Amino acid sequence: MSITVSDVRESILHNLKGRFHTAGIKTYDAFVADLIRETPPGIASTADLILIDVPCTGSGTWGRTPEELYFFNPDKIRRYSGMQQQIVSNLAANLAPGAWLIYSTCSVFKKENEDIAAFLLENFGLEQDKMENIKGYDLQADTMFAARFHR
């Protein structure tokens, strides 16, 4: 099994290196990429599993940062949803037959979650295996969303 990771921010990949070391993961490929604008050649067409943890409003983390709710501009939901659609489009369009795709956010908004899952179903010939809002507030954790698809 091989692991390939990317982010638009070098700092995130640097932090991931430490997390992978702690987890005992020694072999992986990492690169900086803006998946809104580009799809690295071959990534989606050769992967058995793609986990897309997209940029989002972060509304699922507001239990830790309640001040974000006060300063939140609802226009951000539309902006992030557009970015999310572009990222999933760039990867899902080339997803290999038999491969899995997991879409994830730390948002509670339908436009960033269920609506993007519906977009994937409508446009890329995927089958939805599971979709869930993972409530963290009962556990003093963040709330997440995840949907798993199969081609």
Side-chain angles (χ1 to χ4, degrees):
M1 176 177 87
S2 66
I3 298 173
T4 302
V5 296
S6 72
D7 198 281
V8 70
R9 301 160 296 179
E10 181 73 41
S11 62
I12 296 298
L13 297 175
H14 178 73
N15 292 341
L16 183 66
K17 182 178 181 179
R19 289 191 200 108
F20 274 2
H21 177 74
T22 300
I25 299 171
K26 297 176 182 165
T27 307
Y28 61 94
D29 294 314
F31 58 91
V32 174
D34 182 351
L35 296 177
I36 293 171
R37 292 176 180 75
E38 63 183 310
T39 302
I43 295 297
S45 63
T46 60
D48 294 322
L49 168 69
I50 295 178
L51 168 61
I52 308 172
D53 183 13
V54 295
C56 68
T57 58
S59 54
T61 69
W62 290 350
R64 288 187 286 121
T65 57
E67 67 278 5
E68 294 292 326
L69 180 58
Y70 179 80
F71 294 107
F72 182 69
N73 180 343
D75 290 338
K76 286 185 175 183
I77 300 169
R78 187 176 19 86
R79 186 169 54 91
Y80 277 111
S81 177
M83 285 191 286
Q84 294 155 356
Q85 279 189 5
Q86 190 60 51
I87 291 169
V88 300
S89 293
N90 286 341
L91 292 167
N94 299 307
L95 190 66
W100 294 87
L101 184 145
I102 298 174
Y103 174 79
S104 174
T105 74
C106 57
S107 173
V108 298
F109 295 120
K110 179 179 182 280
K111 190 155 183 70
E112 294 185 278
N113 296 334
E114 292 88 351
D115 288 359
I116 299 296
F119 174 79
L120 282 163
L121 288 173
E122 292 167 10
N123 293 286
F124 298 101
L126 304 177
E127 296 178 25
Q128 186 173 301
D129 178 57
K130 188 171 183 176
M131 181 170 66
E132 183 175 0
N133 286 299
I134 305 162
K135 295 178 180 120
Y137 48 81
D138 291 341
L139 305 169
Q140 298 179 329
D142 293 341
T143 294
M144 307 285 294
F145 172 85
R148 185 172 59 205
F149 302 89
H150 188 253
R151 164 141 311 143

